[in-house]
């Protein structure tokens, strides 16, 4: 991916109470925010990480110190999207203790 194409963002339904997870990939960092609905203007939770890596534990996507629970389908979609953006996603679900 060309650096000029950054930042990019995408939203994913969490599968819980109509909330939405928005992910943003920037040149040297990631940002994530939970919104109460797809129409909310302000996130209720945010997290950021330096570097371009994320971690999956069970059905949670971890960006920096923030952990975001997602439905299995949304988690798969988020992982594929992050991968296409050049983000390394480590899966610690069954490989290492949390």
């Amino acid at each position: 991916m060309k650096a000029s194409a950054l930042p990019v963002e995408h939203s994913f339904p969490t599968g819980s109470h109509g909330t939405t997870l928005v992910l943003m990939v920037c040149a040297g960092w990631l940002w994530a925010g939970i919104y109460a609905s797809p129409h909310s203007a302000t996130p209720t939770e945010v997290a950021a990480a330096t570097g371009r890596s994320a971690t999956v534990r069970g059905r949670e996507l971890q960006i920096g110190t923030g952990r975001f629970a997602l439905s299995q389908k949304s988690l798969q979609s988020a992982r594929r999207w992050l991968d296409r953006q050049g983000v390394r996603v480590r899966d610690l679900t069954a490989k290492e203790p949390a």
Side-chain angles (χ1 to χ4, degrees):
M1 168 168 282
K2 296 178 185 175
S4 61
L6 297 174
V8 292
E9 70 176 56
H10 194 70
S11 60
F12 303 88
T14 65
S16 177
H17 307 291
T19 58
T20 300
L21 173 67
V22 175
L23 298 174
M24 184 180 350
V25 178
C26 300
W29 54 281
L30 299 174
W31 181 91
I34 290 283
Y35 290 79
S37 80
H39 309 290
S40 298
T42 306
T44 58
E45 296 177 50
V46 296
T50 56
R52 293 181 57 184
S53 65
T55 303
V56 170
R57 286 188 174 97
R59 289 180 44 188
E60 288 184 332
L61 178 64
Q62 183 172 346
I63 305 292
T65 59
R67 290 187 178 189
F68 304 96
L70 296 167
S71 69
Q72 191 62 39
K73 183 177 178 181
S74 289
L75 181 59
Q76 288 175 335
S77 294
R79 289 182 71 170
R80 281 193 303 267
W81 183 81
L82 286 168
D83 185 58
R84 285 193 305 268
Q85 308 315 314
V87 175
R88 180 175 165 252
V89 181
R90 293 179 44 204
D91 190 341
L92 301 181
T93 301
K95 298 174 185 161
E96 301 174 21

